[in-house]
Amino acid sequence: MSCGLLLLRSILIVALWFAALIDSSPVNPQKLVPRVTLQDLAKIKGAVLTKDGKQLSCGVGLLDNKASLVSADCLDYKDGSVDTNVKYKIYTDSGFDGATDQLDVMKITVHPAYNKESKANNVALLEYNLSSNVTWRNYNSINRSIWDNVIYAQRVLTDIETGSWGTAKMYVHSLDSDAICSDLSPIFKANQDEFTCNEVVAETPLSKLSSCKIPYGTLYGVTNNIVHQAGFFSHAVVKSGSDLCKYNTVRTYYTLIGDYLTWVRSVTGRTYYYFKPSEDSLMKAPAGANFKMNDVPSAATKDAAVVSGNLFSLEANEDLSSSESNTDASTANSENNGNSVSASGLSTKNTIIVAVCCTVGTLLVVVGLYFLIRWYRGNLSKTRDPYSSARVQDLLTNDIGGASLPHQQHQNNTFPDIPYDRPPPAYREGNQRPANNIEAVVDAPETLLHEHVLPDNIHHDKKD
């Protein structure tokens, strides 16, 4: 049993070493997840968009106290233009200055290259509070090459009338996207530097807002644990399903703000800034007022469906914005970091799960094999008759001077009347096994007669 315990300990050590090796893989060592919390997110002023007094899921790229960017799909249209009869309002949370506000949208400008079908340039500029001066601004992170990771967040109002805010949800994710992102969305494939993509959907901060899990609204870039806003939700593509309530695979896509800051400046006449971790951390955004994405015919492949716009009222089988049809979804249920991602690409939680499962599984297999071998050997020792060996029978026969064993018939049996029974199995001496006792049988045949006395006319030659 001591050998078995030693083997189990060795297997356990090897399994734990293997788990540590997975978690410390040298793949992208610079992409370790920082420990960003909701408190870090709360330092950035965020916003929620409402339409006719109803809260929308649409993410808001809050630029300052006078302008924001949102998805153009979140707006209502009439005769090809934004419906001016719809009342939109921006609610801002306390953020860094502790002050909240409710601002009526006064002007809406949709990006001139917006394509509703392909989701190219799915951007609209909302302006409000136009008579006031700029009293604060958010800084934007537009250089994705400096991001360690990204945060997906969803802010929520608990009461629109009073402007009461609930606890936001956030999810820390790696910037890298998989091949499915390009396979499902041609617009992403043609403009990978203008989007981020992930597989994450989550329950809404208030369950009454939606019965289905939906994408987060806003994107933030993380550099050395410093968080700045970077984009907002554009669209999702679902496969093997009809919407976000019923699907098999989903990928969600977020438009980056930085590409459109100079266009915003051309509309508002104000300059906006982006974050850069250098000697001068705040620098003017580069030129490019005429920037637009590479357009494609559609936002999704033929066997997939596009989901966009407001998703808070989403119910199963509801007719959504675009449809054709068809989503492996990772669900984020944490209100804080979600699953932090290790350098190997596996999340820390998944690495622990894999390590524990491998260790337990290996131990069970080893223990099972150990007891199976013990059972087999024990069964074999019970059924094996050492006297069935021809060699042992010849030795016994010759040693008794021509006598035969009970089941043998020899015509020349010299002693037919000997009261001879079959010898008992080989006995044990101390810790000897039966197989090691054969020599003892040859040297001392009398011990095999089991209290039968040899006749006087049987003699054994003994060496002096």
Side-chain angles (χ1 to χ4, degrees), residues 154-186:
Q154 186 72 61
R155 288 181 165 88
V156 65
L157 287 168
T158 56
D159 192 315
I160 292 179
E161 293 184 0
T162 61
S164 300
W165 288 86
T167 302
K169 279 196 172 186
M170 61 173 281
Y171 191 88
V172 179
H173 197 280
S174 66
L175 180 61
D176 298 332
S177 59
D178 59 15
I180 299 177
C181 289
S182 296
D183 294 342
L184 291 183
S185 183

PDB file of all heavy atoms in Angstrom, residues 154-186:
ATOM      1  N   GLN A 154     -21.888  48.225 -18.492  1.00  0.00           N
ATOM      2  CA  GLN A 154     -23.290  48.597 -18.675  1.00  0.00           C
ATOM      3  C   GLN A 154     -23.737  49.406 -17.469  1.00  0.00           C
ATOM      4  O   GLN A 154     -23.774  48.906 -16.346  1.00  0.00           O
ATOM      5  CB  GLN A 154     -24.176  47.356 -18.816  1.00  0.00           C
ATOM      6  CG  GLN A 154     -25.630  47.656 -19.144  1.00  0.00           C
ATOM      7  CD  GLN A 154     -25.810  48.143 -20.563  1.00  0.00           C
ATOM      8  OE1 GLN A 154     -25.498  47.445 -21.525  1.00  0.00           O
ATOM      9  NE2 GLN A 154     -26.306  49.360 -20.714  1.00  0.00           N
ATOM     10  N   ARG A 155     -24.041  50.674 -17.692  1.00  0.00           N
ATOM     11  CA  ARG A 155     -24.586  51.523 -16.633  1.00  0.00           C
ATOM     12  C   ARG A 155     -26.108  51.462 -16.706  1.00  0.00           C
ATOM     13  O   ARG A 155     -26.688  51.200 -17.751  1.00  0.00           O
ATOM     14  CB  ARG A 155     -24.082  52.961 -16.781  1.00  0.00           C
ATOM     15  CG  ARG A 155     -22.601  53.125 -16.409  1.00  0.00           C
ATOM     16  CD  ARG A 155     -22.181  54.585 -16.561  1.00  0.00           C
ATOM     17  NE  ARG A 155     -20.918  54.866 -15.897  1.00  0.00           N
ATOM     18  CZ  ARG A 155     -19.729  54.721 -16.447  1.00  0.00           C
ATOM     19  NH1 ARG A 155     -19.655  54.268 -17.685  1.00  0.00           N
ATOM     20  NH2 ARG A 155     -18.621  55.005 -15.778  1.00  0.00           N
ATOM     21  N   VAL A 156     -26.757  51.801 -15.574  1.00  0.00           N
ATOM     22  CA  VAL A 156     -28.209  51.645 -15.535  1.00  0.00           C
ATOM     23  C   VAL A 156     -28.830  52.648 -14.571  1.00  0.00           C
ATOM     24  O   VAL A 156     -28.244  52.977 -13.528  1.00  0.00           O
ATOM     25  CB  VAL A 156     -28.600  50.207 -15.122  1.00  0.00           C
ATOM     26  CG1 VAL A 156     -28.161  49.896 -13.710  1.00  0.00           C
ATOM     27  CG2 VAL A 156     -30.087  49.968 -15.298  1.00  0.00           C
ATOM     28  N   LEU A 157     -30.003  53.143 -14.949  1.00  0.00           N
ATOM     29  CA  LEU A 157     -30.820  53.974 -14.071  1.00  0.00           C
ATOM     30  C   LEU A 157     -31.851  53.094 -13.390  1.00  0.00           C
ATOM     31  O   LEU A 157     -32.504  52.270 -14.035  1.00  0.00           O
ATOM     32  CB  LEU A 157     -31.547  55.054 -14.883  1.00  0.00           C
ATOM     33  CG  LEU A 157     -30.722  56.227 -15.416  1.00  0.00           C
ATOM     34  CD1 LEU A 157     -31.547  57.020 -16.415  1.00  0.00           C
ATOM     35  CD2 LEU A 157     -30.248  57.115 -14.277  1.00  0.00           C
ATOM     36  N   THR A 158     -32.020  53.284 -12.095  1.00  0.00           N
ATOM     37  CA  THR A 158     -33.059  52.539 -11.381  1.00  0.00           C
ATOM     38  C   THR A 158     -34.387  53.289 -11.381  1.00  0.00           C
ATOM     39  O   THR A 158     -35.446  52.694 -11.212  1.00  0.00           O
ATOM     40  CB  THR A 158     -32.630  52.257  -9.932  1.00  0.00           C
ATOM     41  OG1 THR A 158     -32.311  53.500  -9.290  1.00  0.00           O
ATOM     42  CG2 THR A 158     -31.419  51.335  -9.902  1.00  0.00           C
ATOM     43  N   ASP A 159     -34.310  54.610 -11.565  1.00  0.00           N
ATOM     44  CA  ASP A 159     -35.520  55.429 -11.605  1.00  0.00           C
ATOM     45  C   ASP A 159     -35.266  56.618 -12.529  1.00  0.00           C
ATOM     46  O   ASP A 159     -34.448  57.492 -12.223  1.00  0.00           O
ATOM     47  CB  ASP A 159     -35.887  55.912 -10.200  1.00  0.00           C
ATOM     48  CG  ASP A 159     -37.286  56.531 -10.137  1.00  0.00           C
ATOM     49  OD1 ASP A 159     -37.609  57.336 -11.037  1.00  0.00           O
ATOM     50  OD2 ASP A 159     -38.034  56.214  -9.204  1.00  0.00           O
ATOM     51  N   ILE A 160     -35.977  56.649 -13.653  1.00  0.00           N
ATOM     52  CA  ILE A 160     -35.758  57.709 -14.634  1.00  0.00           C
ATOM     53  C   ILE A 160     -36.250  59.057 -14.120  1.00  0.00           C
ATOM     54  O   ILE A 160     -35.617  60.093 -14.332  1.00  0.00           O
ATOM     55  CB  ILE A 160     -36.442  57.341 -15.962  1.00  0.00           C
ATOM     56  CG1 ILE A 160     -35.722  56.147 -16.598  1.00  0.00           C
ATOM     57  CG2 ILE A 160     -36.440  58.522 -16.921  1.00  0.00           C
ATOM     58  CD1 ILE A 160     -36.327  55.691 -17.903  1.00  0.00           C
ATOM     59  N   GLU A 161     -37.371  59.071 -13.434  1.00  0.00           N
ATOM     60  CA  GLU A 161     -37.946  60.335 -12.969  1.00  0.00           C
ATOM     61  C   GLU A 161     -37.034  61.059 -11.990  1.00  0.00           C
ATOM     62  O   GLU A 161     -36.876  62.286 -12.047  1.00  0.00           O
ATOM     63  CB  GLU A 161     -39.308  60.078 -12.328  1.00  0.00           C
ATOM     64  CG  GLU A 161     -40.369  59.607 -13.325  1.00  0.00           C
ATOM     65  CD  GLU A 161     -41.728  59.471 -12.664  1.00  0.00           C
ATOM     66  OE1 GLU A 161     -41.831  59.749 -11.444  1.00  0.00           O
ATOM     67  OE2 GLU A 161     -42.680  59.092 -13.365  1.00  0.00           O
ATOM     68  N   THR A 162     -36.442  60.303 -11.082  1.00  0.00           N
ATOM     69  CA  THR A 162     -35.552  60.929 -10.092  1.00  0.00           C
ATOM     70  C   THR A 162     -34.097  60.928 -10.523  1.00  0.00           C
ATOM     71  O   THR A 162     -33.253  61.567  -9.881  1.00  0.00           O
ATOM     72  CB  THR A 162     -35.664  60.194  -8.746  1.00  0.00           C
ATOM     73  OG1 THR A 162     -35.253  58.821  -8.919  1.00  0.00           O
ATOM     74  CG2 THR A 162     -37.103  60.220  -8.237  1.00  0.00           C
ATOM     75  N   GLY A 163     -33.792  60.210 -11.585  1.00  0.00           N
ATOM     76  CA  GLY A 163     -32.401  60.116 -12.036  1.00  0.00           C
ATOM     77  C   GLY A 163     -31.529  59.303 -11.111  1.00  0.00           C
ATOM     78  O   GLY A 163     -30.320  59.563 -10.997  1.00  0.00           O
ATOM     79  N   SER A 164     -32.110  58.279 -10.446  1.00  0.00           N
ATOM     80  CA  SER A 164     -31.352  57.437  -9.512  1.00  0.00           C
ATOM     81  C   SER A 164     -30.559  56.379 -10.274  1.00  0.00           C
ATOM     82  O   SER A 164     -31.091  55.734 -11.187  1.00  0.00           O
ATOM     83  CB  SER A 164     -32.309  56.762  -8.524  1.00  0.00           C
ATOM     84  OG  SER A 164     -33.022  57.724  -7.792  1.00  0.00           O
ATOM     85  N   TRP A 165     -29.328  56.188  -9.857  1.00  0.00           N
ATOM     86  CA  TRP A 165     -28.437  55.259 -10.555  1.00  0.00           C
ATOM     87  C   TRP A 165     -28.283  53.954  -9.783  1.00  0.00           C
ATOM     88  O   TRP A 165     -28.190  53.943  -8.567  1.00  0.00           O
ATOM     89  CB  TRP A 165     -27.057  55.889 -10.748  1.00  0.00           C
ATOM     90  CG  TRP A 165     -27.080  56.972 -11.774  1.00  0.00           C
ATOM     91  CD1 TRP A 165     -27.394  58.290 -11.574  1.00  0.00           C
ATOM     92  CD2 TRP A 165     -26.824  56.832 -13.169  1.00  0.00           C
ATOM     93  NE1 TRP A 165     -27.339  58.981 -12.753  1.00  0.00           N
ATOM     94  CE2 TRP A 165     -26.985  58.121 -13.755  1.00  0.00           C
ATOM     95  CE3 TRP A 165     -26.461  55.763 -13.982  1.00  0.00           C
ATOM     96  CZ2 TRP A 165     -26.799  58.347 -15.115  1.00  0.00           C
ATOM     97  CZ3 TRP A 165     -26.272  55.988 -15.339  1.00  0.00           C
ATOM     98  CH2 TRP A 165     -26.443  57.258 -15.897  1.00  0.00           C
ATOM     99  N   GLY A 166     -28.243  52.848 -10.527  1.00  0.00           N
ATOM    100  CA  GLY A 166     -27.982  51.540  -9.947  1.00  0.00           C
ATOM    101  C   GLY A 166     -26.514  51.180 -10.084  1.00  0.00           C
ATOM    102  O   GLY A 166     -25.701  51.974 -10.575  1.00  0.00           O
ATOM    103  N   THR A 167     -26.155  49.985  -9.645  1.00  0.00           N
ATOM    104  CA  THR A 167     -24.775  49.507  -9.733  1.00  0.00           C
ATOM    105  C   THR A 167     -24.479  49.023 -11.152  1.00  0.00           C
ATOM    106  O   THR A 167     -25.206  48.204 -11.704  1.00  0.00           O
ATOM    107  CB  THR A 167     -24.537  48.357  -8.748  1.00  0.00           C
ATOM    108  OG1 THR A 167     -24.837  48.804  -7.431  1.00  0.00           O
ATOM    109  CG2 THR A 167     -23.091  47.888  -8.807  1.00  0.00           C
ATOM    110  N   ALA A 168     -23.423  49.532 -11.723  1.00  0.00           N
ATOM    111  CA  ALA A 168     -23.047  49.156 -13.082  1.00  0.00           C
ATOM    112  C   ALA A 168     -22.497  47.731 -13.102  1.00  0.00           C
ATOM    113  O   ALA A 168     -22.103  47.182 -12.067  1.00  0.00           O
ATOM    114  CB  ALA A 168     -22.009  50.127 -13.624  1.00  0.00           C
ATOM    115  N   LYS A 169     -22.474  47.160 -14.282  1.00  0.00           N
ATOM    116  CA  LYS A 169     -21.823  45.865 -14.498  1.00  0.00           C
ATOM    117  C   LYS A 169     -20.633  46.075 -15.417  1.00  0.00           C
ATOM    118  O   LYS A 169     -20.673  46.912 -16.320  1.00  0.00           O
ATOM    119  CB  LYS A 169     -22.786  44.863 -15.130  1.00  0.00           C
ATOM    120  CG  LYS A 169     -23.721  44.190 -14.148  1.00  0.00           C
ATOM    121  CD  LYS A 169     -24.349  42.951 -14.787  1.00  0.00           C
ATOM    122  CE  LYS A 169     -25.130  42.149 -13.761  1.00  0.00           C
ATOM    123  NZ  LYS A 169     -25.631  40.883 -14.328  1.00  0.00           N
ATOM    124  N   MET A 170     -19.577  45.317 -15.182  1.00  0.00           N
ATOM    125  CA  MET A 170     -18.401  45.408 -16.042  1.00  0.00           C
ATOM    126  C   MET A 170     -17.756  44.047 -16.228  1.00  0.00           C
ATOM    127  O   MET A 170     -17.969  43.136 -15.426  1.00  0.00           O
ATOM    128  CB  MET A 170     -17.380  46.386 -15.461  1.00  0.00           C
ATOM    129  CG  MET A 170     -16.845  46.000 -14.089  1.00  0.00           C
ATOM    130  SD  MET A 170     -15.497  47.071 -13.532  1.00  0.00           S
ATOM    131  CE  MET A 170     -14.125  46.388 -14.453  1.00  0.00           C
ATOM    132  N   TYR A 171     -16.989  43.927 -17.292  1.00  0.00           N
ATOM    133  CA  TYR A 171     -16.321  42.663 -17.609  1.00  0.00           C
ATOM    134  C   TYR A 171     -14.963  42.976 -18.221  1.00  0.00           C
ATOM    135  O   TYR A 171     -14.868  43.681 -19.227  1.00  0.00           O
ATOM    136  CB  TYR A 171     -17.172  41.866 -18.587  1.00  0.00           C
ATOM    137  CG  TYR A 171     -16.716  40.440 -18.783  1.00  0.00           C
ATOM    138  CD1 TYR A 171     -17.167  39.428 -17.948  1.00  0.00           C
ATOM    139  CD2 TYR A 171     -15.836  40.094 -19.811  1.00  0.00           C
ATOM    140  CE1 TYR A 171     -16.771  38.114 -18.132  1.00  0.00           C
ATOM    141  CE2 TYR A 171     -15.430  38.779 -19.994  1.00  0.00           C
ATOM    142  CZ  TYR A 171     -15.900  37.799 -19.146  1.00  0.00           C
ATOM    143  OH  TYR A 171     -15.498  36.494 -19.324  1.00  0.00           O
ATOM    144  N   VAL A 172     -13.893  42.476 -17.613  1.00  0.00           N
ATOM    145  CA  VAL A 172     -12.540  42.651 -18.138  1.00  0.00           C
ATOM    146  C   VAL A 172     -12.257  41.554 -19.158  1.00  0.00           C
ATOM    147  O   VAL A 172     -12.482  40.375 -18.889  1.00  0.00           O
ATOM    148  CB  VAL A 172     -11.495  42.598 -17.003  1.00  0.00           C
ATOM    149  CG1 VAL A 172     -10.088  42.751 -17.581  1.00  0.00           C
ATOM    150  CG2 VAL A 172     -11.770  43.694 -15.982  1.00  0.00           C
ATOM    151  N   HIS A 173     -11.767  41.940 -20.309  1.00  0.00           N
ATOM    152  CA  HIS A 173     -11.591  40.994 -21.406  1.00  0.00           C
ATOM    153  C   HIS A 173     -10.294  41.326 -22.140  1.00  0.00           C
ATOM    154  O   HIS A 173      -9.829  42.462 -22.122  1.00  0.00           O
ATOM    155  CB  HIS A 173     -12.783  41.096 -22.364  1.00  0.00           C
ATOM    156  CG  HIS A 173     -12.940  39.920 -23.290  1.00  0.00           C
ATOM    157  ND1 HIS A 173     -12.191  39.767 -24.434  1.00  0.00           N
ATOM    158  CD2 HIS A 173     -13.773  38.858 -23.244  1.00  0.00           C
ATOM    159  CE1 HIS A 173     -12.559  38.653 -25.039  1.00  0.00           C
ATOM    160  NE2 HIS A 173     -13.512  38.077 -24.344  1.00  0.00           N
ATOM    161  N   SER A 174      -9.708  40.348 -22.783  1.00  0.00           N
ATOM    162  CA  SER A 174      -8.529  40.602 -23.615  1.00  0.00           C
ATOM    163  C   SER A 174      -8.949  41.320 -24.883  1.00  0.00           C
ATOM    164  O   SER A 174     -10.094  41.229 -25.324  1.00  0.00           O
ATOM    165  CB  SER A 174      -7.824  39.289 -23.952  1.00  0.00           C
ATOM    166  OG  SER A 174      -8.645  38.499 -24.781  1.00  0.00           O
ATOM    167  N   LEU A 175      -8.028  42.021 -25.494  1.00  0.00           N
ATOM    168  CA  LEU A 175      -8.332  42.743 -26.726  1.00  0.00           C
ATOM    169  C   LEU A 175      -8.419  41.808 -27.918  1.00  0.00           C
ATOM    170  O   LEU A 175      -9.111  42.097 -28.901  1.00  0.00           O
ATOM    171  CB  LEU A 175      -7.251  43.812 -26.972  1.00  0.00           C
ATOM    172  CG  LEU A 175      -7.393  44.675 -28.227  1.00  0.00           C
ATOM    173  CD1 LEU A 175      -8.701  45.468 -28.185  1.00  0.00           C
ATOM    174  CD2 LEU A 175      -6.210  45.619 -28.365  1.00  0.00           C
ATOM    175  N   ASP A 176      -7.747  40.684 -27.851  1.00  0.00           N
ATOM    176  CA  ASP A 176      -7.689  39.761 -28.981  1.00  0.00           C
ATOM    177  C   ASP A 176      -9.070  39.193 -29.309  1.00  0.00           C
ATOM    178  O   ASP A 176      -9.894  38.955 -28.436  1.00  0.00           O
ATOM    179  CB  ASP A 176      -6.740  38.597 -28.662  1.00  0.00           C
ATOM    180  CG  ASP A 176      -5.316  39.083 -28.433  1.00  0.00           C
ATOM    181  OD1 ASP A 176      -4.955  40.130 -28.997  1.00  0.00           O
ATOM    182  OD2 ASP A 176      -4.581  38.431 -27.673  1.00  0.00           O
ATOM    183  N   SER A 177      -9.308  38.978 -30.581  1.00  0.00           N
ATOM    184  CA  SER A 177     -10.548  38.359 -31.050  1.00  0.00           C
ATOM    185  C   SER A 177     -10.217  37.055 -31.760  1.00  0.00           C
ATOM    186  O   SER A 177      -9.092  36.853 -32.225  1.00  0.00           O
ATOM    187  CB  SER A 177     -11.301  39.305 -31.987  1.00  0.00           C
ATOM    188  OG  SER A 177     -10.487  39.652 -33.106  1.00  0.00           O
ATOM    189  N   ASP A 178     -11.208  36.170 -31.867  1.00  0.00           N
ATOM    190  CA  ASP A 178     -10.961  34.884 -32.512  1.00  0.00           C
ATOM    191  C   ASP A 178     -11.413  34.921 -33.980  1.00  0.00           C
ATOM    192  O   ASP A 178     -11.967  35.915 -34.471  1.00  0.00           O
ATOM    193  CB  ASP A 178     -11.671  33.755 -31.759  1.00  0.00           C
ATOM    194  CG  ASP A 178     -13.178  33.952 -31.678  1.00  0.00           C
ATOM    195  OD1 ASP A 178     -13.726  34.786 -32.425  1.00  0.00           O
ATOM    196  OD2 ASP A 178     -13.818  33.288 -30.854  1.00  0.00           O
ATOM    197  N   ALA A 179     -11.182  33.815 -34.682  1.00  0.00           N
ATOM    198  CA  ALA A 179     -11.496  33.743 -36.112  1.00  0.00           C
ATOM    199  C   ALA A 179     -12.990  33.832 -36.384  1.00  0.00           C
ATOM    200  O   ALA A 179     -13.410  34.274 -37.458  1.00  0.00           O
ATOM    201  CB  ALA A 179     -10.923  32.454 -36.699  1.00  0.00           C
ATOM    202  N   ILE A 180     -13.806  33.424 -35.396  1.00  0.00           N
ATOM    203  CA  ILE A 180     -15.262  33.451 -35.595  1.00  0.00           C
ATOM    204  C   ILE A 180     -15.752  34.881 -35.786  1.00  0.00           C
ATOM    205  O   ILE A 180     -16.722  35.122 -36.507  1.00  0.00           O
ATOM    206  CB  ILE A 180     -15.977  32.773 -34.414  1.00  0.00           C
ATOM    207  CG1 ILE A 180     -15.548  31.305 -34.306  1.00  0.00           C
ATOM    208  CG2 ILE A 180     -17.490  32.861 -34.542  1.00  0.00           C
ATOM    209  CD1 ILE A 180     -16.147  30.573 -33.131  1.00  0.00           C
ATOM    210  N   CYS A 181     -15.096  35.848 -35.140  1.00  0.00           N
ATOM    211  CA  CYS A 181     -15.491  37.250 -35.299  1.00  0.00           C
ATOM    212  C   CYS A 181     -15.484  37.653 -36.773  1.00  0.00           C
ATOM    213  O   CYS A 181     -16.414  38.306 -37.253  1.00  0.00           O
ATOM    214  CB  CYS A 181     -14.540  38.146 -34.509  1.00  0.00           C
ATOM    215  SG  CYS A 181     -14.727  38.038 -32.712  1.00  0.00           S
ATOM    216  N   SER A 182     -14.444  37.269 -37.490  1.00  0.00           N
ATOM    217  CA  SER A 182     -14.361  37.591 -38.922  1.00  0.00           C
ATOM    218  C   SER A 182     -15.284  36.713 -39.750  1.00  0.00           C
ATOM    219  O   SER A 182     -15.867  37.169 -40.741  1.00  0.00           O
ATOM    220  CB  SER A 182     -12.921  37.426 -39.403  1.00  0.00           C
ATOM    221  OG  SER A 182     -12.065  38.357 -38.764  1.00  0.00           O
ATOM    222  N   ASP A 183     -15.435  35.470 -39.347  1.00  0.00           N
ATOM    223  CA  ASP A 183     -16.279  34.553 -40.110  1.00  0.00           C
ATOM    224  C   ASP A 183     -17.743  34.993 -40.124  1.00  0.00           C
ATOM    225  O   ASP A 183     -18.440  34.816 -41.126  1.00  0.00           O
ATOM    226  CB  ASP A 183     -16.178  33.134 -39.534  1.00  0.00           C
ATOM    227  CG  ASP A 183     -14.796  32.539 -39.715  1.00  0.00           C
ATOM    228  OD1 ASP A 183     -14.041  33.052 -40.565  1.00  0.00           O
ATOM    229  OD2 ASP A 183     -14.461  31.574 -38.994  1.00  0.00           O
ATOM    230  N   LEU A 184     -18.211  35.566 -39.009  1.00  0.00           N
ATOM    231  CA  LEU A 184     -19.625  35.922 -38.903  1.00  0.00           C
ATOM    232  C   LEU A 184     -19.937  37.319 -39.432  1.00  0.00           C
ATOM    233  O   LEU A 184     -21.059  37.571 -39.871  1.00  0.00           O
ATOM    234  CB  LEU A 184     -20.083  35.823 -37.445  1.00  0.00           C
ATOM    235  CG  LEU A 184     -20.166  34.429 -36.830  1.00  0.00           C
ATOM    236  CD1 LEU A 184     -20.697  34.502 -35.410  1.00  0.00           C
ATOM    237  CD2 LEU A 184     -21.049  33.514 -37.667  1.00  0.00           C
ATOM    238  N   SER A 185     -18.979  38.248 -39.367  1.00  0.00           N
ATOM    239  CA  SER A 185     -19.265  39.639 -39.734  1.00  0.00           C
ATOM    240  C   SER A 185     -18.276  40.164 -40.764  1.00  0.00           C
ATOM    241  O   SER A 185     -17.129  40.487 -40.437  1.00  0.00           O
ATOM    242  CB  SER A 185     -19.238  40.534 -38.481  1.00  0.00           C
ATOM    243  OG  SER A 185     -19.570  41.859 -38.813  1.00  0.00           O
ATOM    244  N   PRO A 186     -18.685  40.304 -42.019  1.00  0.00           N
ATOM    245  CA  PRO A 186     -17.792  40.838 -43.061  1.00  0.00           C
ATOM    246  C   PRO A 186     -17.312  42.260 -42.772  1.00  0.00           C
ATOM    247  O   PRO A 186     -16.181  42.608 -43.121  1.00  0.00           O
ATOM    248  CB  PRO A 186     -18.677  40.801 -44.313  1.00  0.00           C
ATOM    249  CG  PRO A 186     -19.694  39.737 -44.039  1.00  0.00           C
ATOM    250  CD  PRO A 186     -19.960  39.822 -42.570  1.00  0.00           C
TER     251      PRO A 186
END
